[in-house]
Amino acid sequence: TLAVIGNVTLDKLEEDVREMFGTIVNREVEETRDWARRSPFGAAWRKAFLILPVAERRRVSLLFPSPPLAPEYKPKPHQLLSHLLGHEGPGSLLAVLKAQGWATELYAGPGTSLPNESVFGVTVCLTEEGLPKWRDVIQMVFHYVHIMRKSSFEDRLRIWNEVNITQELDFRFRDKEKEDGYVERIALSMA
């Protein structure tokens, strides 16, 4: 995969790319990552790991197997889940956890994506009071997901449209990022 960026015309970029990379032969090599085709989400996946960190960290992370993201690159259903679970306003999961004094932050979104599956994660940063309540925090996450599943199609569609408008505005009016990081991110998303 190749991604390029430059301050010249698209025609000039294409000319430069063909000049620099045109002699590379496409050998039609098949993917050799057999490990990426095996599903890690069998019954053994349903486990809890309690880890004693070296540095002070208080968080609970939930990982959910989900379908691969690549076929859903246009509708992006994971963005709706990320938005709903990661929302910070009144009535949100984080607002309830903060009101209990159990959490300070919550992150939700897709993680590793392989050809046949991906992982969706929810991480809650716990307070000292929240740490012994980690099981209750997990129950609240699942309860919130249950509420989302029971919501009407119209409600989900309204929120979906809001998320799409927000994403479009974010894309159109995004701050300029460093070129090397941008082109690397684009290349990785195409791989």
Side-chain angles (χ1 to χ4, degrees), residues 108-156:
T112 302
S113 185
L114 300 173
N116 296 323
E117 65 270 316
S118 65
V119 175
F120 187 90
V122 179
T123 297
V124 181
C125 298
L126 303 171
T127 61
E128 286 186 39
E129 296 80 25
L131 186 58
K133 301 286 189 180
W134 66 270
R135 286 183 175 90
D136 295 320
V137 170
I138 290 173
Q139 282 186 326
M140 291 178 84
V141 170
F142 278 98
H143 180 70
Y144 196 80
V145 169
H146 177 71
I147 290 171
M148 288 179 355
R149 290 182 71 189
K150 287 183 68 174
S151 66
S152 71
F153 174 78
E154 291 77 19
D155 283 344
R156 289 192 303 264

Side-chain angles (χ1 to χ4, degrees), residues 10-22:
L10 184 58
D11 290 338
K12 177 63 176 151
L13 277 177
E14 182 179 358
E15 178 186 323
D16 291 346
V17 165
R18 289 187 186 280
E19 182 181 316
M20 288 185 262
F21 301 100

